[in-house]
Amino acid sequence: MHVLFAASECVPFSKTGGLADIVGALPRAVAELGHRVTVYLPLYRQTRLENPRTVIASITVPFDDRYRFCSVLDGGRQNGVQYYFIDYPPFYDREALYGTPLGDYDDNPERFALYCRAVLEASKILGVPNVFHCHDWQTALIPVLLRTLYDEDPALGGIPTVFTIHNFGYQGIFSPDTLPLLMLPWDLFTITKLEFFGKVNFLKGALTYSDFITTVSRKYAREIQTTEYGFGLEGVLRSRNPHVIGILNGVDYTEWNPATDSHIAAQYSPESLEGKRECRRDLLRCFSLDPESSLPIIGIVSRFAAQKGFDLISQAADRLAHMDVTVVVIGSGDKDYEDLFRRLVRHYPERFAVRVGYDNRMAHKIEAGADMFLMPSRYEPCGLNQIYSLKYGTVPIVRATGGLDDTIEPFDIRTGKGTGFKFHEYTAEAMLSSVQAALQVYAKPEEWRKVMLNGMARNFSWAVAAHEYLKIYEKVRASRRAAVEQEHNKDQDG
Ligand code: ADP
Ligand code: GLC
């Protein structure tokens, strides 16, 4: 089978968050099962390619006022996966992928509509897949176009799509003028299609037109069908049941494993944990703290976004600062949160150490050097850092939502079972009592070792998830074939 992955970011070429990790790993896992896999990405300024080759010099993408012409570069094969890049410098050769700390780029609908059209056109020349697997709103127009403007295309017309929601909080909502601007028909602007409270909602289009919808944990699949987490699209999603499921993300252990990680000061494993002590000292040094400090270290690596629960940290900051802990943070994103953390460092230089920015090496150092890892998310589709933390013996403290709830089992001191600490209510008090509970166990080294080792023994490799996706690919191919046959029979009867 040939699966085409469409996504707006992918390691090692471009990354702002976990989506990139997943699009870096899942295609490889599918290829390892013996399938042909192609990944299409935008060519951003930050993308580094060795010897790229132009394979399509020009694809015409119509906009209402003009044609735009992009090209396609062959980025080569890695681990059995073929990478192609859509090159259109006016859209992608920019400082950031989606916007700056002050807001998103205004022309994001054009940027990602061009990408979607280019992927469809390029696939006709470079290889029509058996399934399009699209990720998040940036790729949402692929299923929309396939089932509308491309419906009669003899090459693409019958190809099914699977759509994966990595984050329901980002939907691609734009003004209605976007439709004519992108040369999309006005009849898409109805409540059963893309219309959403007077605006155009790309994600809604994907939910309507994809053959199957997945998201990245079982719990999140249930949550986004409720008003609390559905961002207004819960009804649309419910109407697609039973074509909605949650498949938990895996982890790329070639990247995130303390036994082989080249970013950290010393390697370690469950059999020999000594290296972790060196990583701890190294982390404290990197943040200009006393390397011999014995205070427990709580790590945070995150996009600074409302989703991640930083208002709880803001409310709890004074109380956290009076507990015997050091909080070490790397993150970037919304300006308000960047300012919050800068303020905390000024007030409590001994308790909070923060780097504002994006630094993959430092993310690895925090995973390895911290004792605990805090994710108080308001919502979390899957979350990867808590799963990385398990492998690094860095005990997660999480809010029981989405993938955080599915991946962390509360530690029970009586049975010695469990991998972390969880709280349910979205309040500073609940978060602080979880931190307190963790500190109490931390004070008993034998018990703490148990939690660490329980987590390190957990395995979230991709093999299981890749099999689940394959079952879905097969299912959508079969149902699309059946639909095409039915259509054909109807035509003949008529
Ligand atoms: P999300 O996708 O919502 O941001 P995840 O937990 O799924 O959350 O994934 C976040 C990914 O991005 C992890 O690989 C994490 O290490 C990385 N990351 C987030 N912020 C930073 C940062 N400031 N510097 C380096 N890596 C970061
Ligand atoms: C999103 C989610 C995160 C998830 C990641 C990869 O950005 O916020 O929870 O782990 O996508 O699926």
Side-chain angles (χ1 to χ4, degrees), residues 15 17-18 21 301-303 308 330-331 357-359 363 383-385 388:
K15 172 164 170 175
D21 294 11
V301 176
S302 188
R303 285 184 299 114
K308 300 293 179 179
I330 180 151
Y358 182 90
D359 181 345
L384 295 172
N385 281 114
Y388 301 157

Side-chain angles (χ1 to χ4, degrees), residues 18-19 22 136 166-167 216 249 303 307-308 380-384:
L19 171 64
I22 304 316
D136 274 357
H166 293 264
N167 198 325
V216 288
N249 285 330
R303 285 184 299 114
Q307 165 196 351
K308 300 293 179 179
E380 195 62 71
C382 175
L384 295 172

Side-chain angles (χ1 to χ4, degrees), residues 120-437:
L120 291 176
E121 288 299 325
S123 75
K124 292 202 276 185
I125 298 165
L126 300 171
V128 172
N130 301 108
V131 178
F132 283 93
H133 188 169
C134 304
H135 300 260
D136 274 357
W137 79 262
Q138 293 87 346
T139 64
L141 288 185
I142 290 179
V144 175
L145 286 165
L146 274 173
R147 299 281 90 84
T148 56
L149 296 180
Y150 280 80
D151 202 31
E152 290 177 13
D153 184 321
L156 295 179
I159 310 294
T161 52
V162 173
F163 188 85
T164 297
I165 300 163
H166 293 264
N167 198 325
F168 225 38
Y170 301 90
Q171 301 186 353
I173 300 175
F174 307 107
S175 95
D177 310 340
T178 311
L179 288 178
L181 173 68
L182 303 178
M183 305 284 284
L184 293 169
W186 269 118
D187 67 15
L188 288 177
F189 198 62
T190 69
I191 191 159
T192 56
K193 295 175 179 166
L194 271 68
E195 193 271 341
F196 185 72
F197 299 103
K199 301 231 171 169
V200 168
N201 185 324
F202 281 22
L203 185 61
K204 182 171 176 183
L207 300 184
T208 306
Y209 286 106
S210 299
D211 293 275
F212 212 95
I213 299 156
T214 73
T215 186
V216 288
S217 69
R218 278 188 218 292
K219 179 146 192 201
Y220 195 60
R222 291 196 301 275
E223 284 174 341
I224 51 182
Q225 299 187 45
T226 67
T227 324
E228 188 182 354
Y229 292 96
F231 290 96
L233 285 183
E234 58 277 9
V236 180
L237 203 58
R238 278 201 301 268
S239 74
R240 289 303 315 273
N241 229 332
H243 296 103
V244 181
I245 64 163
I247 300 177
L248 189 71
N249 285 330
V251 166
D252 180 356
Y253 287 120
T254 60
E255 259 301 298
W256 296 95
N257 180 352
T260 52
D261 191 332
S262 59
H263 298 299
I264 61 178
Q267 282 71 41
Y268 61 93
S269 63
E271 293 73 41
S272 92
L273 284 168
E274 292 79 53
K276 189 162 173 72
R277 233 170 283 143
E278 181 46 35
C279 291
R280 197 178 189 284
R281 276 194 290 271
D282 173 56
L283 177 64
L284 290 168
R285 256 184 245 116
C286 288
F287 279 83
S288 309
L289 296 163
D290 171 11
E292 301 311 323
S293 159
S294 60
L295 289 183
I297 305 174
I298 300 183
I300 294 180
V301 176
S302 188
R303 285 184 299 114
F304 286 162
Q307 165 196 351
K308 300 293 179 179
F310 294 120
D311 45 343
L312 297 190
I313 298 207
S314 167
Q315 289 160 32
D318 294 329
R319 283 168 284 172
L320 258 181
H322 290 99
M323 288 177 164
D324 284 333
V325 293
T326 307
V327 183
V328 172
V329 184
I330 180 151
S332 63
D334 292 359
K335 190 167 173 311
D336 289 353
Y337 298 120
E338 295 191 355
D339 292 345
L340 162 74
F341 280 109
R342 287 199 185 97
R343 229 177 16 250
L344 291 177
V345 176
R346 271 201 309 278
H347 280 147
Y348 305 109
E350 313 273 287
R351 290 290 190 262
F352 286 91
V354 177
R355 287 258 175 107
V356 172
Y358 182 90
D359 181 345
N360 182 47
R361 192 178 172 78
M362 197 50 72
H364 284 253
K365 281 176 183 288
I366 292 183
E367 286 293 359
D371 300 299
M372 303 162 194
F373 197 93
L374 180 59
M375 291 179 78
S377 305
R378 185 181 279 278
Y379 73 91
E380 195 62 71
C382 175
L384 295 172
N385 281 114
Q386 84 282 9
I387 314 183
Y388 301 157
S389 298
L390 291 175
K391 189 73 180 172
Y392 283 76
T394 302
V395 176
I397 303 172
V398 303
R399 173 153 181 264
T401 182
L404 297 175
D405 201 19
D406 285 355
T407 53
I408 305 301
E409 299 134 42
F411 181 67
D412 182 339
I413 203 154
R414 283 163 310 177
T415 61
K417 296 223 163 74
T419 54
F421 297 84
K422 278 207 276 207
F423 60 100
H424 291 261
E425 265 176 61
Y426 189 74
T427 60
E429 286 65 34
M431 181 186 80
L432 286 166
S433 12
S434 255
V435 172
Q436 201 70 61

Side-chain angles (χ1 to χ4, degrees), residues 83-103:
Y83 294 91
Y84 290 118
F85 292 85
I86 308 298
D87 188 16
Y88 188 65
F91 279 176
Y92 309 130
D93 184 9
R94 296 191 185 174
E95 186 193 332
L97 268 54
Y98 312 122
T100 66
L102 296 175

Side-chain angles (χ1 to χ4, degrees), residues 70-88:
C70 59
S71 55
V72 182
L73 303 187
D74 182 340
R77 283 175 81 80
Q78 286 183 24
N79 304 305
V81 178
Q82 171 67 48
Y83 294 91
Y84 290 118
F85 292 85
I86 308 298
D87 188 16
Y88 188 65

